[in-house]
Amino acid sequence: MAELIFYLLTNLYLLMGQKTVRWSRFTNTPYGTFCSLHKQISIGVLGLAMLNAFDAKANIVPDTLVAKDNTVTDLEEVSVSTSRAPMSERQSARMVTVLTAQDIKHAAVHSINDLLKYAVGADVRQRGEMGIQTDISLRGGTFAQITLLLNGVDICSPQSGHLSADFPVTMDDVERIEVLEGPAARLFGTSAFSGAVNIVTKMADHSNVQAHVFGGQYGLGGGDVHLNISNGKVSQQLSGGYDRSDGAVENSQFYQGKAFYQGRYRGEEADVDWNLGYSRQQYGANTFYSAAYPNQWEETERWIASVRAESKGKLHLTPTLYWNRNYDHFQLTRGSNMGENFHRSDVYGIGLNSWWKWSLGKTSIGADIRNEGILSSNLGRPIADAADFVQAHGTDEADSIFYNKKDNRTNVSYYLEHDILFNKVTVSLGMLANLNTALDEKLRLYPGIDVSYRPADQWKLTASFNQALRMPSFTDLYYKSPTQEGNVGLKPEKVSAFNLNARYRIQPFEAQVNAFYTHGTDMIDWVMYNDSDIYHSANFELNNMGFEVSTGIYFRQLFGESCPLNKFTAAYAFIHQEREDEVNIYKSNYALEYLRNKVVLTLDSRIVSNLNGSVTYRFCDRMGGYIKYDENHKSTGELVNYKPYGIVDLRLSWDAKNYTIYAEASNLFDQEYYDLGNIAQPGIWVKGGVKVNFDLFK
């Protein structure tokens, strides 16, 4: 049916010979095709949700429109983030996991960080709720080894990967989240070491207002507001949110605010997108660096800004300009200057990607210059002249607190990639050439090749090999405290990764299998060498290998719209590690504490009328352990292994046209579990809220 509609519309366009009208979205209304009659239509944007609909209902994803005279109209913008030139999800040579708008709507979560727990290949370790103090990793890597992107722009912090997941957007800002597992250096740069997570925000094509208020146990309360103004080619959206909680465990209270402005221009010659974001958090950092100091406290503040454009025509040019600033104020003992740190990191970047299509495929060439700098009271090299000290953010002259250390490095990257597209085969191969001033003036090469084969419309098989390098964070290099010591002699991490994947999709069923092997050299972790040691940042050799299996069934496609069940998905991930060096490690803080087994089960249903429900079960089996501390916060010297746990989350919602009322419970059965150290995660946490939305200027 989908092919027939595209075929008929294409012939109408050519026969009428009228001026081109550009579709930017599918409204799914019965009058849409009628309104297109006697007009020439080009498809501007085809979202992933529509791609999935084509796959599920017709087992095809159209990449071209073919007319009677064999004129071909390419749907170039039908793309996922797996190559530097736009490529359809069907054609792409790598698999990407997409958490869609429907996944977000039905999940019993209030933060991006919590939502990523439902991606079976992701490991999300938290010390609090609502995205507070979150570390996100992929395929047994560490939180510092992934690239986090907002609308395709790198927002990672060079100070510490701990701060990269402080997103300036709320859940209601998010359209979808793309998770690309495995190295992606030639796509996102060297920091995409074990994968990348791209958060794509939504922008309505009409003016509207949305408001959301919520509350729950442990003094939880908050809300957010979104205002969108669209006028022809220009759309602008402003959103803001605030939430707070007394915390479910000792010293875990938090306050956080977010503000986000985004705009877009859609023109005949070019498209332009721009973003400006701000976030601020204050929270009790229970056992953040050591259980010996339970009353730690931290305040972070972040600014991000970016502008991105893309020209239209045979040669596509995509320039990007971005800036990120992070402030961090940490106290080892709250209200005391003991172990107190002040930091300010800045990232400036400019990039240019270009691509064109010719008889042998699509070729992309690009370059990126990224400068990372830090001013700090703890991190970096001492500033020789006191006259060059900078007053610490949030203090005044009477406090006599200065940034008296600094460091700076520039990362220069050149990209070359070529995609060869056949009817059933895609080959994507390329190279990243990288120079970092913190190393030397030499260019280092990181190649990669991805291949996909589609023997039938229902099948997709892929294989890939990629390499990457990651520079140590400034915390890895310089941090010193009573419990930790950095190492200025750290080497960059290097990885070579192999991946095999098979996917089968036919109405109403889909299944996927991934297998991977990564060989890591000079991998960075914080470790203790004996039971009386402090943590040191160190390099060692480490290999990760494993597989992921996932399956899903769409009941309404099988039994019709009257079926109360909507979708069931099941996924399992297994990882095994091998450390090649023989140095004895008593305790790892990150790299060796991976999820060996993870299971995620989800069920969405329409219970009755507008009442919908969803339930999710997560089982996690973590390797490694933690040193147990007694009630007086003294070490017992006992190393306790992490215990496996299973968590059930439940959400009920009444979804009407202009409003939603919901109630949810995370950790429904009050399971006690540990993800990090001696801090138990929250038990059952009941929340509820109301969302309303209405259009403007009708």
Side-chain angles (χ1 to χ4, degrees):
M1 186 63 183
E3 274 189 317
L4 177 61
I5 292 173
F6 271 78
Y7 180 82
L8 292 175
L9 287 177
T10 304
N11 281 276
L12 282 171
Y13 312 154
L14 296 169
L15 289 172
M16 300 305 174
Q18 301 297 315
K19 183 179 178 181
T20 299
V21 175
R22 190 171 185 82
W23 281 352
S24 62
R25 68 190 292 268
F26 279 79
T27 59
N28 197 30
T29 54
Y31 55 81
T33 303
F34 174 78
C35 293
S36 71
L37 294 178
H38 305 290
K39 298 179 177 66
Q40 182 177 343
I41 309 296
S42 71
I43 309 298
V45 175
L46 190 59
L48 283 171
M50 183 58 66
L51 289 175
N52 291 336
F54 275 116
D55 267 352
K57 295 180 180 179
N59 295 321
I60 63 165
V61 178
D63 299 303
T64 57
L65 299 179
V66 183
K68 281 185 176 180
D69 62 356
N70 293 322
T71 302
V72 177
T73 302
D74 294 298
L75 305 182
E76 298 291 0
E77 292 85 352
V78 182
S79 61
V80 290
S81 301
T82 58
S83 60
R84 298 192 69 82
M87 193 179 299
S88 72
E89 189 270 347
R90 173 175 168 266
Q91 285 183 325
S92 67
R94 291 187 68 170
M95 296 293 190
V96 57
T97 299
V98 181
L99 299 173
T100 67
Q102 288 300 309
D103 295 326
I104 296 170
K105 180 179 179 181
H106 295 151
V109 299
H110 280 261
S111 72
I112 296 169
N113 316 55
D114 288 321
L115 179 65
L116 287 169
K117 294 177 181 179
Y118 296 166
V120 73
D123 183 6
V124 181
R125 307 177 74 181
Q126 291 181 272
R127 298 171 181 85
E129 273 276 318
M130 306 289 288
I132 298 295
Q133 290 183 286
T134 303
D135 295 339
I136 303 168
S137 59
L138 297 171
R139 286 191 172 174
T142 69
F143 59 91
Q145 293 174 350
I146 70 169
T147 292
L148 297 176
L149 305 109
L150 183 61
N151 294 323
V153 178
D154 188 342
I155 60 171
C156 288
S157 168
Q159 177 195 328
S160 171
H162 289 305
L163 304 180
S164 295
D166 291 350
F167 301 112
V169 295
T170 68
M171 284 287 291
D172 292 322
D173 288 313
V174 179
E175 173 67 26
R176 68 179 186 272
I177 299 177
E178 301 171 349
V179 181
L180 180 64
E181 298 180 42
R186 75 177 195 270
L187 182 60
F188 298 122
T190 57
S191 59
F193 192 81
S194 61
V197 176
N198 183 29
I199 296 130
V200 181
T201 58
K202 58 188 174 185
M203 172 79 78
D205 62 355
H206 60 284
S207 300
N208 68 345
V209 173
Q210 177 179 310
H212 178 199
V213 293
F214 58 87
Q217 290 177 279
Y218 309 111
L220 174 67
D224 50 76
V225 178
H226 305 257
L227 172 64
N228 179 279
I229 302 295
S230 295
N231 183 15
K233 296 180 179 180
V234 179
S235 297
Q236 300 182 82
Q237 185 165 291
L238 179 65
S239 62
Y242 175 82
D243 51 80
R244 56 91 58 205
S245 171
D246 297 329
V249 297
E250 179 185 359
N251 192 35
S252 63
Q253 69 274 24
F254 65 83
Y255 311 86
Q256 63 176 339
K258 304 174 186 290
F260 187 65
Y261 165 70
Q262 62 177 326
R264 73 181 183 192
Y265 167 80
R266 296 294 179 259
E268 298 297 328
E269 302 297 327
D271 295 337
V272 184
D273 295 272
W274 57 93
N275 298 320
L276 176 64
Y278 172 80
S279 65
R280 185 182 182 188
Q281 300 184 105
Q282 300 180 56
Y283 48 88
N286 193 329
T287 71
F288 186 68
Y289 284 112
S290 171
Y293 299 89
N295 199 28
Q296 299 170 60
W297 178 89
E298 190 159 17
E299 178 181 3
T300 64
E301 192 173 345
R302 161 176 267 193
W303 289 91
I304 67 165
S306 67
V307 179
R308 192 174 191 176
E310 181 175 1
S311 65
K312 300 175 182 178
K314 292 185 177 180
L315 175 63
H316 294 253
L317 298 175
T318 308
T320 304
L321 179 67
Y322 60 94
W323 165 70
N324 304 329
R325 169 169 288 185
N326 287 272
Y327 294 106
D328 182 20
H329 177 201
F330 174 78
Q331 291 180 334
L332 191 62
T333 301
R334 187 171 186 169
S336 167
N337 59 10
M338 175 184 175
E340 186 174 36
N341 301 310
F342 293 84
H343 316 281
R344 190 192 87 186
S345 62
D346 282 283
V347 176
Y348 302 88
I350 184 170
L352 176 64
N353 185 52
S354 63
W355 69 272
W356 63 95
K357 185 175 182 179
W358 54 301
S359 59
L360 296 181
K362 297 179 181 179
T363 299
S364 305
I365 297 177
D368 181 85
I369 301 175
R370 178 183 175 93
N371 181 266
E372 301 175 338
I374 191 164
L375 291 171
S376 174
S377 63
N378 191 317
L379 306 177
R381 305 179 188 278
I383 299 175
D385 191 344
D388 295 328
F389 291 177
V390 177
Q391 188 76 39
H393 177 69
T395 68
D396 54 40
E397 294 182 3
D399 297 323
S400 298
I401 299 175
F402 300 95
Y403 301 127
N404 55 12
K405 296 179 175 63
K406 68 177 182 179
D407 200 1
N408 189 279
R409 62 197 185 198
T410 300
N411 195 69
V412 181
S413 298
Y414 302 97
Y415 306 91
L416 174 63
E417 184 178 80
H418 183 67
D419 302 321
I420 306 171
L421 306 172
F422 299 103
N423 183 38
K424 295 189 175 186
V425 177
T426 300
V427 180
S428 179
L429 65 164
M431 183 84 68
L432 167 69
N434 179 259
L435 180 153
N436 195 293
T437 57
L439 296 175
D440 48 39
E441 301 300 320
K442 296 180 180 179
L443 280 173
R444 291 170 170 81
L445 302 180
Y446 303 95
I449 181 170
D450 310 314
V451 180
S452 72
Y453 172 55
R454 301 170 293 278
D457 290 331
Q458 299 89 350
W459 283 96
K460 182 177 178 180
L461 310 174
T462 68
S464 64
F465 167 77
N466 288 278
Q467 293 185 325
L469 169 143
R470 184 188 78 86
M471 294 295 296
S473 70
F474 293 129
T475 297
D476 292 331
L477 294 169
Y478 298 111
Y479 193 80
K480 289 187 178 181
S481 77
T483 60
Q484 291 188 304
E485 183 176 18
N487 179 3
V488 295
L490 281 177
K491 300 176 182 178
E493 298 179 301
K494 296 175 282 293
V495 69
S496 298
F498 302 85
N499 187 81
L500 296 174
N501 179 282
R503 187 189 68 196
Y504 178 79
R505 181 182 289 171
I506 188 171
Q507 181 183 355
F509 175 79
E510 62 181 0
Q512 184 168 295
V513 178
N514 295 299
F516 63 90
Y517 173 81
T518 61
H519 172 65
T521 303
D522 296 321
M523 306 294 275
I524 297 173
D525 193 15
W526 289 80
V527 299
M528 299 173 62
Y529 294 109
N530 55 65
D531 58 2
S532 60
D533 198 7
I534 65 173
Y535 284 103
H536 305 268
S537 58
N539 293 114
F540 51 79
E541 311 301 301
L542 187 66
N543 301 323
N544 287 333
M545 60 203 77
F547 65 89
E548 301 165 8
V549 180
S550 62
T551 185
I553 184 169
Y554 298 82
F555 294 102
R556 290 180 190 169
Q557 293 178 13
L558 185 62
F559 300 111
E561 289 297 316
S562 61
C563 180
L565 299 178
N566 179 23
K567 179 178 70 172
F568 172 76
T569 62
Y572 169 68
F574 170 81
I575 297 176
H576 173 70
Q577 280 189 349
E578 291 181 354
R579 190 162 59 89
E580 295 184 351
D581 57 272
E582 298 180 356
V583 177
N584 178 64
I585 293 178
Y586 173 72
K587 170 76 172 67
S588 162
N589 217 18
Y590 305 114
L592 305 183
E593 295 192 343
Y594 62 97
L595 285 179
R596 187 175 183 88
N597 297 283
K598 182 178 179 181
V599 176
V600 180
L601 308 176
T602 64
L603 177 64
D604 296 334
S605 65
R606 181 179 60 217
I607 300 172
V608 62
S609 185
N610 291 334
L611 181 62
N612 295 295
S614 66
V615 60
T616 302
Y617 171 78
R618 289 182 294 114
F619 172 81
C620 297
D621 176 20
R622 185 177 302 282
M623 301 299 290
Y626 57 94
I627 300 173
K628 187 176 180 179
Y629 281 67
D630 62 23
E631 62 275 6
N632 297 315
H633 309 294
K634 301 295 183 182
S635 173
T636 65
E638 179 185 358
L639 193 60
V640 180
N641 292 330
Y642 287 107
K643 294 181 180 179
Y645 62 84
I647 301 295
V648 175
D649 299 330
L650 175 68
R651 176 184 170 95
L652 298 172
S653 64
W654 183 271
D655 299 305
K657 180 179 179 181
N658 294 319
Y659 69 90
T660 295
I661 302 173
Y662 67 88
E664 59 190 39
S666 55
N667 195 359
L668 180 65
F669 297 110
D670 205 27
Q671 175 73 43
E672 181 182 64
Y673 68 103
Y674 293 80
D675 264 339
L676 280 161
N678 286 260
I679 179 170
Q681 293 299 297
I684 183 172
W685 197 330
V686 178
K687 313 175 185 76
V690 178
K691 295 182 182 181
V692 296
N693 66 84
F694 54 90
D695 295 339
L696 299 176
F697 313 128
K698 280 192 172 182

